[in-house]
Amino acid sequence: TELDLSCLGSSTFGDGTPFYFLINLRNCRVLKLDHLPVKEYHLPPTGLMKLSLQGCTELTLESIYDYLETYYRGGMMLELDVRDVPNSTNSPLMKFCELIPKLLMLNNRRTKLGTTLKDENVKLQRWRIGGKMPKTKSRKRKAATALLQGNEATSLDSGSSSSADMLLSETCCSLLRTGFRKDRDTEQEMFACWTCKIDFGRFVCYNCAKKCHRGHDIVPVGFGAGYCDCSILSKCSCLEIGQEDDEGGNTVGPSFEYV
């Protein structure tokens, strides 16, 4: 689920006592608490993938860092916004990227990883609609070696998307590349799952349609910008990028075919 309380304003909550309900959230993926008088002990200990605390002056960067170190160190947090949060010790923001290595966006700006995976998503989607994958230096060297050895069929442009040149597996959820963005660089194939009621402005990505929603009533709805809602509205199996089956794919995989 997604929860945005920032529109309510700090005066609505008074001394902050009502925020204790947040700690019981377990399935919330996106949480926005901008400009509210929250404390670090109000925040949920698990499940978050996007956290926005912009202008939360009752917090400090140090207290947020301690909270994340306790509950999200090395975890699946993809976006974090701590703009205008007091920083009395002038702590560098880079330490958040070191604490959460999968972080794609920090203070509404892409991290180095976020920029790399954004470009990777563009290349992958281009390949899926019939375009050629641009050759990197390593791809050029491999292709040249293959040609010199007479193995033209092994050239990297002969139908392979070359996952060796990608940071993430081609079978993972697109959310791990796009984050919760809706700009042009997040364009991708979009599918509705009527079984899970993911439609009308929501969608699942190609890989989640194939794996997480195997056997469901899946309908292609086009190609556009946005992020996959599988992890928000259902249980996403494509976020477990380290688990593979005997054929090299993820452990969960339906028989859905894009037509």
Short mmCIF file of all heavy atoms in Angstrom, two decimals, residues 61-62 65 87 89-97 106:
data_model
loop_
_atom_site.label_atom_id
_atom_site.label_comp_id
_atom_site.label_asym_id
_atom_site.label_seq_id
_atom_site.Cartn_x
_atom_site.Cartn_y
_atom_site.Cartn_z
N LEU A 61 19.16 14.29 10.81
CA LEU A 61 19.75 13.32 9.90
C LEU A 61 20.37 12.16 10.67
O LEU A 61 20.35 11.01 10.23
CB LEU A 61 20.82 13.99 9.02
CG LEU A 61 20.31 14.87 7.89
CD1 LEU A 61 21.47 15.28 6.98
CD2 LEU A 61 19.23 14.18 7.06
N GLU A 62 20.91 12.45 11.85
CA GLU A 62 21.53 11.40 12.67
C GLU A 62 20.49 10.40 13.16
O GLU A 62 20.72 9.19 13.13
CB GLU A 62 22.27 12.03 13.86
CG GLU A 62 23.49 12.84 13.50
CD GLU A 62 23.15 14.18 12.86
OE1 GLU A 62 22.03 14.69 13.11
OE2 GLU A 62 23.98 14.69 12.10
N TYR A 65 19.37 8.27 10.25
CA TYR A 65 20.42 7.31 9.91
C TYR A 65 20.41 6.14 10.89
O TYR A 65 20.52 4.97 10.49
CB TYR A 65 21.79 7.99 9.91
CG TYR A 65 22.92 7.08 9.51
CD1 TYR A 65 23.26 6.93 8.16
CD2 TYR A 65 23.64 6.36 10.45
CE1 TYR A 65 24.29 6.08 7.78
CE2 TYR A 65 24.67 5.52 10.08
CZ TYR A 65 25.00 5.39 8.74
OH TYR A 65 26.01 4.54 8.38
N ASN A 87 20.45 19.14 10.32
CA ASN A 87 21.71 18.40 10.23
C ASN A 87 22.75 19.14 11.06
O ASN A 87 23.62 19.83 10.54
CB ASN A 87 22.14 18.29 8.77
CG ASN A 87 23.40 17.47 8.58
OD1 ASN A 87 23.85 16.81 9.51
ND2 ASN A 87 23.99 17.53 7.40
N THR A 89 25.27 18.18 12.79
CA THR A 89 26.68 17.73 12.74
C THR A 89 27.24 17.77 11.32
O THR A 89 28.34 17.26 11.08
CB THR A 89 26.80 16.30 13.29
OG1 THR A 89 25.98 15.41 12.51
CG2 THR A 89 26.34 16.25 14.74
N ASN A 90 26.48 18.35 10.37
CA ASN A 90 26.92 18.43 8.97
C ASN A 90 27.31 17.06 8.41
O ASN A 90 28.33 16.90 7.73
CB ASN A 90 28.11 19.39 8.83
CG ASN A 90 27.70 20.83 9.13
OD1 ASN A 90 26.62 21.26 8.75
ND2 ASN A 90 28.57 21.55 9.84
N SER A 91 26.49 16.07 8.69
CA SER A 91 26.76 14.71 8.20
C SER A 91 26.58 14.66 6.69
O SER A 91 25.61 15.22 6.16
CB SER A 91 25.81 13.71 8.86
OG SER A 91 25.97 13.72 10.26
N PRO A 92 27.47 14.00 5.98
CA PRO A 92 27.34 13.90 4.51
C PRO A 92 26.20 12.97 4.11
O PRO A 92 25.97 11.94 4.75
CB PRO A 92 28.69 13.32 4.08
CG PRO A 92 29.18 12.57 5.28
CD PRO A 92 28.68 13.32 6.47
N LEU A 93 25.48 13.35 3.06
CA LEU A 93 24.38 12.53 2.59
C LEU A 93 24.86 11.21 2.00
O LEU A 93 24.12 10.23 1.95
CB LEU A 93 23.57 13.29 1.53
CG LEU A 93 22.73 14.47 2.04
CD1 LEU A 93 22.11 15.20 0.87
CD2 LEU A 93 21.67 14.00 3.02
N MET A 94 26.12 11.18 1.57
CA MET A 94 26.65 9.98 0.93
C MET A 94 26.56 8.76 1.84
O MET A 94 26.46 7.63 1.37
CB MET A 94 28.10 10.22 0.52
CG MET A 94 28.74 9.04 -0.22
SD MET A 94 27.83 8.59 -1.73
CE MET A 94 28.08 10.08 -2.70
N LYS A 95 26.55 8.98 3.14
CA LYS A 95 26.52 7.83 4.05
C LYS A 95 25.20 7.05 3.95
O LYS A 95 25.16 5.86 4.26
CB LYS A 95 26.76 8.27 5.48
CG LYS A 95 25.67 9.13 6.11
CD LYS A 95 26.03 9.47 7.54
CE LYS A 95 24.92 10.21 8.26
NZ LYS A 95 25.28 10.50 9.67
N PHE A 96 24.13 7.71 3.48
CA PHE A 96 22.87 7.00 3.28
C PHE A 96 22.99 6.02 2.11
O PHE A 96 22.43 4.93 2.15
CB PHE A 96 21.73 7.98 3.02
CG PHE A 96 21.29 8.75 4.24
CD1 PHE A 96 21.66 10.07 4.42
CD2 PHE A 96 20.54 8.13 5.22
CE1 PHE A 96 21.27 10.76 5.55
CE2 PHE A 96 20.12 8.82 6.36
CZ PHE A 96 20.51 10.15 6.52
N CYS A 97 23.72 6.42 1.07
CA CYS A 97 23.95 5.52 -0.07
C CYS A 97 24.81 4.33 0.33
O CYS A 97 24.61 3.21 -0.16
CB CYS A 97 24.61 6.27 -1.22
SG CYS A 97 23.61 7.59 -1.92
N LEU A 106 17.83 9.97 -3.89
CA LEU A 106 18.10 10.59 -2.59
C LEU A 106 17.81 12.07 -2.72
O LEU A 106 18.40 12.77 -3.56
CB LEU A 106 19.55 10.36 -2.17
CG LEU A 106 19.98 10.97 -0.84
CD1 LEU A 106 19.13 10.44 0.31
CD2 LEU A 106 21.46 10.71 -0.56
#
